[in-house]
Amino acid sequence: MTRIVEPEAGPRSKRAAILTAAVDCFGEAGYEATKWSTVAERVGIGQTALYHYFESKTHCLLTIMRLELERSHDRFVEATKDVEDPVEALRTAVRAAYDVSPHEVLQMRILQNHMDLLSGTRRSKREEAERVAARQLVQVVERDWTNLLVKGMSQGSFPLRDAQLLGSSVLGLIVSVWRWYRPSGPTPLSEISELIEGACVRMVAS
């Protein structure tokens, strides 16, 4: 996996602020409903200044998606690296997936709502670079979960099954939450995490 090298953030760079504002806007109002000029207003810059960092609103969206996939992969690796027991590793991975900030919730909502964007080639070289990197990361994340299950099956902790199919099913269950979960809703994320953790263990171990 080749990661995109992030541009150096000098003291006057607005890139991080633009990404933060875009996540807030895209996650709250929706990508299609958000005007590019609204992001500029939140940052306190003119709209033309946005193009110094992102050549289009889509370029910014793809960057957000790629960064979220990197974060998810890194969180999985960090959470499970020292856990030897496969069942506990599965539980730990699920809990880590929901150990997130409100801003990260928005990032994951954006990612899940626009996964279809990764399927088609982009004409812009910069957009295409972000799309390809994001697609590669999707494969890495799927492989993370598949390998966790393969390890459990090889040790006899999980019944022998199609690990790739089962891994995709587990991951699909986990990420489906971000399409409907709202921090202001009646169900706390900790309760959702506990519910999904139990469901994943039953799905894999029974």
Side-chain angles (χ1 to χ4, degrees), residues 22-139:
V23 168
D24 290 341
C25 291
F26 298 167
E28 293 167 1
Y31 170 75
E32 290 80 7
T34 298
K35 294 182 179 179
W36 202 207
S37 58
T38 302
V39 176
E41 290 172 6
R42 286 216 181 186
V43 179
I45 59 177
Q47 184 174 346
T48 55
L50 293 173
Y51 296 100
H52 177 70
Y53 303 95
F54 301 100
E55 64 180 29
S56 65
K57 190 171 75 163
T58 302
H59 180 208
C60 183
L61 172 62
L62 286 164
T63 301
I64 290 168
M65 294 171 69
R66 189 257 304 170
L67 290 172
E68 172 52 32
L69 285 161
E70 286 183 357
R71 186 203 65 80
S72 295
H73 167 64
D74 291 345
R75 182 72 60 86
F76 177 96
V77 172
E78 181 64 26
T80 60
K81 65 180 181 180
D82 297 322
V83 184
E84 293 298 327
D85 178 69
V87 176
E88 185 55 33
L90 176 59
R91 289 186 178 278
T92 299
V94 176
R95 289 195 294 267
Y98 294 113
D99 182 15
V100 293
S101 68
H103 188 75
E104 289 166 344
V105 169
L106 293 179
Q107 290 177 177
M108 287 180 286
R109 183 186 305 164
I110 292 166
L111 174 64
Q112 294 308 314
N113 285 341
H114 297 282
M115 287 294 290
D116 60 319
L117 192 62
L118 303 184
S119 61
T121 303
R122 310 298 303 179
R123 291 184 178 180
S124 157
K125 289 184 178 180
R126 294 176 71 187
E127 289 181 11
E128 179 64 3
E130 290 287 359
R131 185 194 72 84
V132 170
R135 276 184 63 92
Q136 290 176 346
L137 281 160
V138 169
Q139 295 170 352

Side-chain angles (χ1 to χ4, degrees), residues 122-195:
R122 310 298 303 179
R123 291 184 178 180
S124 157
K125 289 184 178 180
R126 294 176 71 187
E127 289 181 11
E128 179 64 3
E130 290 287 359
R131 185 194 72 84
V132 170
R135 276 184 63 92
Q136 290 176 346
L137 281 160
V138 169
Q139 295 170 352
V140 169
V141 170
E142 290 174 345
R143 188 167 64 243
D144 287 340
W145 288 88
T146 298
N147 289 344
L148 187 155
L149 301 185
V150 168
K151 179 180 178 181
M153 292 176 191
S154 67
Q155 294 181 5
S157 298
F158 305 144
L160 290 175
R161 296 177 185 169
D162 184 328
Q164 186 172 3
L165 176 60
L166 190 57
S168 295
S169 299
V170 168
L171 185 57
L173 176 61
I174 292 168
V175 301
S176 67
V177 168
W178 307 122
R179 292 183 176 273
W180 55 264
Y181 170 73
R182 298 295 184 271
S184 60
T187 308
L189 191 56
S190 58
E191 185 175 327
I192 296 170
S193 176
E194 183 178 353
L195 176 68

